[in-house]
Amino acid sequence: MAHIQLAVITVALLMVVPERLTATEPAAPRKPHPDAVANTHPPGEVDKLELVPFVVADPGKLKGIVVDETEAQLIGTWQYSTHTPPYVGLGYLHDQKKGKGDKAVIYTPAIPKSGRYEVRLSHCYNIRRSTNTPITIHHAEGEKTIRINQQKIPEHQKLFRTLGVFRFKAGKSGWVKISNEGTDGKYVIADAVQFLFVGD
């Protein structure tokens, strides 16, 4: 059964994110975040096979500026998983339901042009997820903290949720932080953040 699941997942990922490489375009290896605990689930072990086609294996295929967890700053101990699709890249991080209030993941984009950007957050979803995950957006006009329900299905391809539109200056002065403060008893998920330019 495990071999069948693995075959189905492999085919689905190839259908969603085809890799077209040439001799002058070698595959860039993606490595897990060095500060994260390794995934304990074997390849192919997922809870919902029907969500595998929504996995985006290569963040570079997405529009806008995407900061995956591999590029983020981790505060506290986070663990990798691939058990619950969909996700971006190699998998997603969770807080292990531990160290509440002491853990965070900070995503800092390299903004090429000052202006307004729609900020989206990716996360997988189920009843084990936090219903009040705090997300702080540090933008050109200040900071805004909102709480999201990670049990709800994200509206964009079952993967990304819109956090709002904010103004960012060119460079790396802006950031988005996922915290696990006040999320007792549930898992907080940290995957990728997407910034889409919407105008000056």
Side-chain angles (χ1 to χ4, degrees), residues 16-165:
V16 176
V17 190
E19 296 285 350
R20 296 188 178 91
L21 302 175
T22 65
T24 58
E25 186 184 11
R30 289 183 286 277
K31 296 181 181 179
H33 198 295
D35 298 330
V37 177
N39 186 6
T40 59
H41 295 285
E45 182 183 298
V46 299
D47 56 359
K48 291 188 177 181
L49 278 173
E50 66 271 20
L51 293 177
V52 170
F54 295 96
V55 171
V56 179
D58 182 359
K61 302 288 186 180
L62 292 165
K63 294 180 180 180
I65 303 153
V66 178
V67 184
D68 202 11
E69 87 288 330
T70 56
E71 305 167 273
Q73 175 190 355
L74 306 189
I75 298 172
T77 303
W78 294 78
Q79 183 170 14
Y80 266 104
S81 183
T82 51
H83 186 250
T84 302
Y87 49 81
V88 174
L90 298 172
Y92 58 91
L93 299 176
H94 63 79
D95 70 342
Q96 305 170 301
K97 290 198 298 186
K98 298 177 182 177
K100 296 298 187 179
D102 296 328
K103 298 184 181 185
V105 180
I106 301 173
Y107 301 80
T108 303
I111 300 292
K113 177 182 179 181
S114 296
R116 293 179 297 116
Y117 289 79
E118 178 185 349
V119 180
R120 296 181 178 182
L121 177 79
S122 68
H123 66 84
C124 54
Y125 55 92
N126 61 34
I127 60 172
R128 299 184 297 275
R129 306 304 182 227
S130 162
T131 60
N132 61 341
T133 302
I135 313 293
T136 300
I137 302 97
H138 181 81
H139 51 91
E141 297 165 350
E143 281 186 15
K144 181 174 183 178
T145 299
I146 60 176
R147 287 188 179 263
I148 65 168
N149 184 346
Q150 293 190 308
Q151 293 186 8
K152 289 188 174 181
I153 302 173
E155 65 266 31
H156 305 290
Q157 297 296 309
K158 300 182 185 292
L159 181 57
F160 279 94
R161 172 182 309 284
T162 295
L163 302 178
V165 175

